[in-house]
Amino acid sequence: TTEPVPAPLPRFPRDFLWGVSTSAPQIEGAVEEDGRGRSVWDVFAAGAGRIKDGSDPRVATDHYHRYREDVGLLRELGVGAYRFSVAWPRVVPDGDGAVNGAGLDFYDRLVDALLAAGVAPVPTLFHWDTPQALEERGGWLRRETAERFAAYADVVAGRLGDRVERWITLNEPAEVTLLGYGLGQHAPGRQLLFGALPAAHHQLLGHGLAVQALRARGATDIGIANSHGPTWTASASEADTEAAGLYDLLLNRLFAEPVLLGRYPDEELAALLPGPVAEDLKVIAEPVDWYGINYYQPTLVGAPGTEGAAGTDEITGAEEAAGTDFGGIRLPPELPFAPREIEGYPRTDFGWPVVPEALTELLVSFRERYGDRLPPVVITENGCSYEGTEDRERIAFLDGHLRALHAAMAAGVDVRGYFVWSLMDNFEWAEGYARRFGLVHVDYATLERTPKASYRWLQGVLREQARG
Ligand code: GBH
């Protein structure tokens, strides 16, 4: 079959930052090597039935041993930047106390290899791998964890700060709160529902304290990577409008507004949070140099109830009582909102709707909501899961989202960079290795890396953008 020749992408600014993202627990493996401590994901995955394909992150893509090859793939791809995460339990095995020099050495080697390849390192300090020892003392439900996180941030900046310019504090505290502490479908597997809210506050506090620690080490280019997507309302009914508003509050505004505006979006909700909240907000609102957004899809939300709830099409009464299926996540029926199926768009292998224009909508709405309080934006993750190495669907996905991003920029949103999730197939959390988000295919039997069609495509885009 002859494929239509795709129209060239619009031109992005010369200094636009092009990158790809990964995270330590999803790629590194080597979980017991060189003094690394256990993370909540090691422990969670070891529990029966937690990971859908019965796998675990012990080997993952073996990046810890193969990072030189992976840096070669980055160089060949032609990206200007690589977003990876530093594993907290590699650097501070117990989360508190002794620093593991051998763990820091790995990131030191990685950063040097990246710089030698002409790729700017963009470390994220926390991508969900809390040291298990801290979790056993309450994890992010406790204030102490925020303080320990800042101490760890200081250690990493002390070692890498002479070569790293851009830093990211946290990845998606919303997911850790909801999936990890609220619903128990991610590590640490706690099912506290609204009792998970302290984990949101303490992560945000940890972010603010880490910004201060990085600044004290001279860092001038700091951001956070929050997950956001537009919330679409199922109908104009009062019940649906209220439910969608609450969802938007919890998944978008709760994590954006403390950072950008120095306040929580709702008084009642703020009253549920621990600590001297007003004082903490001053720390949380420590200015960032840019705001990172991970975008995957919009969410259509209505009031709970059976009608039209996502995944209920062919479901029996008993299954329905267990809740609705939300992109692989089971939501319990007692939540005050219910995601619905979005009809009329293609879907990824994961079942997530592909809606590029919702990225434009999201960015324009952020600009409208937050005005000049919104610093320059970087898309710190965007991508999709599809099988195979001739991944035309991934190319269409990325092409569509880059056009949507450009449209937001043309509409006046200051966007400085775009990172594809992910460089290579990896450990997709509770899904195990079954979902493939990579530009590079990984054969998990041999750990062989094979660039997919999308990798070649992006390589062409980057060459094209670099010209003229
Ligand atoms: C990110 O989280 C993570 O940062 C990254 O580690 C992970 O590998 C990657 O994305 C891919 O999952 O039912 O269609 O509405 C993603 C956060 C929140 C995105 C839930 C998808 C539900 C899809 N996700 N959302 S849908």
Side-chain angles (χ1 to χ4, degrees):
T1 59
T2 45
E3 298 287 339
V5 181
L9 285 170
R11 184 155 300 284
F12 284 76
R14 245 199 180 286
D15 56 358
F16 192 76
L17 193 62
W18 296 92
V20 292
S21 297
T22 63
S23 86
Q26 294 178 274
I27 66 167
E28 282 184 2
V31 296
E32 284 174 0
E33 247 162 282
D34 297 333
R36 180 185 177 280
R38 283 186 312 163
S39 90
V40 290
W41 271 94
D42 301 330
V43 175
F44 182 76
R50 255 85 176 264
I51 311 299
K52 284 179 193 157
D53 63 0
S55 67
D56 61 57
R58 277 184 293 182
V59 177
T61 73
D62 195 34
H63 170 76
Y64 191 75
H65 299 114
R66 293 165 199 256
Y67 71 95
R68 287 190 184 281
E69 181 184 350
D70 296 336
V71 171
L73 288 163
L74 290 163
R75 189 191 52 228
E76 281 299 302
L77 181 57
V79 283
Y82 172 51
R83 176 181 171 227
F84 60 97
S85 85
V86 176
W88 186 355
R90 228 182 252 297
V91 174
V92 188
D94 291 325
D96 184 9
V99 170
N100 177 34
L104 277 172
D105 290 346
F106 171 69
Y107 299 105
D108 204 84
R109 294 194 294 276
L110 176 62
V111 163
D112 283 344
L114 288 165
L115 293 172
V119 178
V122 184
T124 300
L125 290 167
F126 178 68
H127 201 123
W128 304 359
D129 46 359
T130 314
Q132 175 64 16
L134 282 186
E135 190 56 44
E136 285 166 14
R137 308 212 295 260
W140 288 107
L141 297 170
R142 283 191 61 197
R143 185 179 191 86
E144 183 208 354
T145 298
E147 289 153 8
R148 298 281 72 78
F149 177 65
Y152 147 74
D154 173 66
V155 166
V156 178
R159 182 68 180 268
L160 304 179
D162 58 335
R163 285 152 294 152
V164 165
E165 282 178 20
R166 286 188 196 83
W167 297 90
I168 298 175
T169 54
L170 306 180
N171 181 70
E172 298 189 351
E175 268 65 21
V176 172
T177 305
L178 177 73
L179 304 178
Y181 288 90
L183 302 177
Q185 294 177 15
H186 278 188
R190 304 197 58 171
Q191 301 181 340
L192 304 171
L193 296 179
F194 283 89
L197 284 171
H201 182 68
H202 291 142
Q203 285 179 90
L204 288 165
L205 179 62
H207 155 78
L209 292 170
V211 172
Q212 292 178 339
L214 293 168
R215 293 263 185 254
R217 290 275 183 186
T220 56
D221 204 346
I222 308 173
I224 183 171
N226 264 329
S227 81
H228 292 299
T231 308
W232 292 353
T233 308
S235 83
S237 80
E238 207 181 301
D240 284 346
T241 306
E242 197 184 313
L246 182 59
Y247 181 91
D248 186 47
L249 183 90
L250 290 171
L251 273 298
N252 289 317
R253 300 176 58 200
L254 173 60
F255 296 91
E257 294 182 14
V259 174
L260 298 176
L261 309 178
R263 60 168 171 71
Y264 277 109
D266 183 272
E267 292 292 321
E268 274 174 64
L269 185 134
L272 298 172
L273 301 173
V277 172
E279 260 173 61
D280 290 349
L281 280 164
K282 292 188 190 124
V283 177
I284 295 168
E286 198 66 57
V288 286
D289 301 291
W290 49 274
Y291 189 78
I293 293 180
N294 296 351
Y295 169 73
Y296 287 89
Q297 86 296 315
T299 309
L300 180 66
V301 181
T306 53
E307 231 164 311
T312 53
D313 300 7
E314 293 146 43
I315 276 180
T316 63
E319 279 169 312
E320 197 174 286
T324 54
D325 181 14
F326 178 42
I329 302 296
R330 285 244 140 231
L331 292 183
E334 60 265 42
L335 287 180
F337 46 76
R340 309 281 171 86
E341 297 288 0
I342 292 181
E343 311 284 353
Y345 292 90
R347 288 174 183 282
T348 70
D349 274 6
F350 214 145
W352 302 354
V354 179
V355 192
E357 60 270 33
L359 176 57
T360 316
E361 179 191 331
L362 175 73
L363 292 168
V364 169
S365 75
F366 258 68
R367 171 74 202 168
E368 279 166 4
R369 267 186 189 173
Y370 304 123
D372 291 337
R373 305 293 293 272
L374 181 68
V377 169
V378 174
I379 301 301
T380 35
E381 286 182 26
N382 178 232
C384 51
S385 65
Y386 288 107
E387 285 296 309
T389 53
E390 289 305 316
D391 53 343
R392 301 242 148 243
E393 303 99 323
R394 181 172 285 102
I395 294 173
F397 181 101
L398 297 174
D399 179 277
H401 284 79
L402 284 169
R403 287 172 202 279
L405 183 62
H406 196 273
M409 293 164 74
V413 186
D414 184 3
V415 184
R416 304 288 177 91
Y418 175 86
F419 288 68
V420 176
W421 182 271
S422 178
L423 170 63
M424 58 187 153
D425 295 339
N426 57 50
F427 177 70
E428 178 55 27
W429 311 113
E431 298 285 325
Y433 298 95
R435 307 292 177 194
R436 293 179 175 273
F437 280 85
L439 297 168
V440 174
H441 178 271
V442 176
D443 177 335
Y444 291 109
T446 62
L447 296 167
E448 191 187 338
R449 278 91 161 121
T450 308
K452 301 180 187 179
S454 56
Y455 175 100
R456 303 278 173 227
W457 171 83
L458 185 58
Q459 201 174 38
V461 168
L462 298 178
R463 276 191 200 132
E464 183 65 34
Q465 293 284 334
R467 261 201 294 271

